[in-house]
Structures are given as C-alpha cells and as structure tokens.
Amino acid sequence: MIKIEIPNPEVVITKSRQVGEKVEAPLSSVYGFTDYNKIPRDKGGIILFFDANDDLLFVGKARKLRPRIKRHFEDTVSPIKNHRDEVYKIAVLVVEEPMDREIYETYIINTLHAKYNIEKVFYK
C-alpha cells in the first residue's frame, strides 16, 4: 500500500472584508480576498477552497497558481461559480511536478471529501 501525506500549505489567505466594502490595500478585492500577492505567481500546485466552518469545498490544481485562483472567481465556467460566496479560506500547496499534482489532487478529493468536486471521486 502506498502512503501519501498531504503537505502543509505554503500560503493560506482568508476573506477579510465583506464584498463591496472599502479596503485599505490598493489591490483588488475579489470576493473579499485582497492578499493574492502572497500566492506565488509562477509556481504550480494544489488549491484548496474552504468555507467558514473549515469544510473543504473544492480542490484544484494549476501550473501557475495566482492566475488560476483569480480565474476561479472570474470565469463563467469555473466549477465553483455558483458557490463563490461560500469560500472563506484558500490554502495553497506548492507542488512543481505535474504527476505529483495529479496524485495529490485525487488523494485530497477522496480523503477529505471535497464538496463540489464531481470528477475523480471514488468514495460515493
């Protein structure tokens, strides 16, 4: 049996303001998240979206983390497009190897039971 350990998140950002409120930072406040600058721009990895109760909503992977996270909040085809308001915390795991990203994504979806991932689900 293969033993897989989920790495600790490199960066965790949380929603700090309500949508529409003024923020001190000159960065955009997309759905209440203003500190996208903490997320690596050109590194690949795994993205974990959590709600306010720390329940895992969605797991995704990306070759470039920051642009992909922003697209989840802007795209009309994002799997979380109808659930964006539920996202309270975003955790980022930096994983450079594409095969490792695929393995971690599938493992996390199935062990932590991501709510809105419908592909790669083996526990139902």
Side-chain angles (χ1 to χ4, degrees):
M1 180 170 175
I2 298 172
K3 177 86 171 136
I4 300 173
E5 290 188 29
I6 301 170
N8 289 327
E10 311 280 329
V11 178
V12 177
I13 61 173
T14 56
K15 187 180 286 192
S16 56
R17 306 266 183 234
Q18 294 296 319
V19 178
E21 281 188 26
K22 286 190 153 196
V23 295
E24 304 88 30
L27 302 169
S28 67
S29 173
V30 181
Y31 284 89
F33 294 98
T34 57
D35 41 4
Y36 287 111
N37 59 328
K38 294 180 182 177
I39 300 168
R41 180 186 305 267
D42 293 329
K43 294 194 178 200
I46 304 294
I47 309 156
L48 307 167
F49 294 95
F50 293 92
D51 65 8
N53 299 324
D54 259 358
D55 295 326
L56 184 61
L57 298 175
F58 185 77
V59 179
K61 64 182 182 306
R63 282 183 288 135
K64 295 186 178 189
L65 287 164
R66 191 185 314 172
R68 183 65 189 122
I69 291 171
K70 285 186 173 185
R71 276 197 308 272
H72 271 298
F73 289 103
E74 296 165 355
D75 278 356
T76 57
V77 295
S78 172
I80 63 166
K81 68 180 177 190
N82 297 326
H83 312 287
R84 292 174 179 149
D85 293 331
E86 294 178 49
V87 177
Y88 179 76
K89 180 171 79 172
I90 302 171
V92 175
L93 314 172
V94 175
V95 180
E96 286 295 331
E97 289 297 316
M99 183 60 74
D100 293 347
R101 284 196 296 263
E102 190 72 38
I103 291 168
Y104 280 130
E105 180 191 32
T106 305
Y107 182 77
I108 292 169
I109 289 169
N110 287 286
T111 55
L112 301 181
H113 302 281
K115 189 174 180 181
Y116 299 122
N117 283 93
I118 53 173
E119 297 177 0
K120 301 181 183 179
V121 174
F122 301 119
Y123 60 85
K124 286 189 178 187

